[in-house]
Amino acid sequence: MTRTAVALDRADLHASLADPALLSMTFLNEIAGRFPEAVSFAPGRPTEDFFDPSDLHRHLDTYIRHLTADKGYDAAGVRRELFQYGRTKGVVHELIARHLERDEGIVCDPEAVLVTVGAQEALWLVLRALKAGPRDVVLALDPTYVGLTGAARLLDLPVRSVPEGPRGVRPEQVRERIREVRAAGERPRALYLVPDFSNPSGHSLDTGTRRELLEVAEQEDVLLLEDNPYGYFRVADGSRPPTLKALDTGQRVVYLGSLSKTCFPGARVGFAVADQRVTGAGGPALLADELARAKSMLTVNTPPVAQALVGGMLLEHGGSLLEANRRQIDVYRRNLRALLQGLQRRFARMPGIRWIAPEGGFFVVLDVPFPVTDALVEEAAVRHGVLFTPMRHFSDQERAGRQLRLSCSSLDPARIEDGLDRLAALIDERGAAPHA
Ligand code: PMP
């Protein structure tokens, strides 16, 4: 008997699956693959210049030596650690805590570190935990990284945006927005932000703003979700502003760490530092332990093999990701300088084209005098061989409809020059015949 193949109506699936926010991540990750010849300013990927498969073997060996020499594991213990299911909160938590102390001045109990499948899982778990009821909402600086918006959609957690101005956000604006949201009957639980070279805006907060934000968070009783994948990639030498977490004396900050840019995204390892005390029925615990309960039903544990690889990499650099990234930092500096100089040379005097030079990171946002849509990206790829990301993916603000994000991390100066020529050709074409 032949049976009719089942067809599921999208209307019977969770509404988030049809939400544009959930299409963004795949669009951004895959568009470069569809146009391999194009110069791609689209994805915020790390440079591939230093990836070498032989490093993976060495990292693994380094980690195994650490297990035997430093931790006293016997052969069976090593086998179990690498091949078996592992501790829910992860196995490289001590190494991560050591890195945070060394590189960031963040002193935390390794028990407060939850190792996750990318920062994305950490973000999802934190949002899951914070959404206790229908009035709960999360605040996010707008433009916002799509990973936050998408995770919130999956959880039916509304995101209330705090629009950034051209130079970032003021803490008083955050306070006003929190109060506005409360006045509307909602309960703001946390503010999500990327304080260092944000994706997508490129903005960074100065130390004074960080301190004020912590004060606002305390006075208004919300948490800060600090996402920091780009903090090491500063153009200038010299000191970096401290992370919010390093300034946090009242456990206001849940720190979200990603090793995608500082190790490699193929490992899919990230983490949360969730040192908040949890009280009430069930006895005292750390927020990290509550998140671990949710994780045990999501990914069970972060693959120990992946943790061993990043663990080995950390160990080879004395526990410091800053040390591990010396060459990469130089590449990103060189690329960002090339991008900014190239923009200056081509567009400095062109009406309607504007940008703000970030002090580091991967991204520059360009204002242009025409709408920037996914269809325009396709057209730019086909006709001019250049790719970028419409800011529409990150913001509903009107201004975002005429902005594009350029990422320079995985290019080199010659490709950046070539890409900017191609972009200039597109802009010329559009400028001459603007589309409504
Ligand atoms: N947060 C932000 C703001 C990012 O831009 C990225 C990378 N696209 C991440 C987190 C990385 O997440 P993951 O560790 O899951 O790769």
Side-chain angles (χ1 to χ4, degrees), residues 118-120 145 192 194 199 227 229-230 258 260-261 268:
Q120 186 63 26
Y145 173 54
Y192 168 82
V194 185
N199 179 7
D227 188 2
Y230 305 105
S258 169
S260 290
K261 309 295 148 76
R268 300 300 304 123

Side-chain angles (χ1 to χ4, degrees), residues 131-138 157-158 181-182 184-189:
K131 183 181 159 50
R135 288 172 50 241
D136 290 329
V137 300
V138 65
L157 174 65
V181 165
R182 279 218 176 97
E186 295 180 326
R187 184 166 71 145
R189 304 301 315 268

Side-chain angles (χ1 to χ4, degrees), residues 88 114 125 282-283 285 288-298:
T88 311
L114 173 73
L125 293 170
D289 296 306
E290 305 298 311
L291 302 181
R293 282 196 209 170
K295 180 178 169 65
S296 76
M297 289 295 155
L298 188 65

Side-chain angles (χ1 to χ4, degrees), residues 349-362:
R349 276 178 289 281
M350 199 175 274
I353 310 265
R354 274 190 305 272
W355 66 94
I356 287 172
E359 289 165 10
F362 290 6

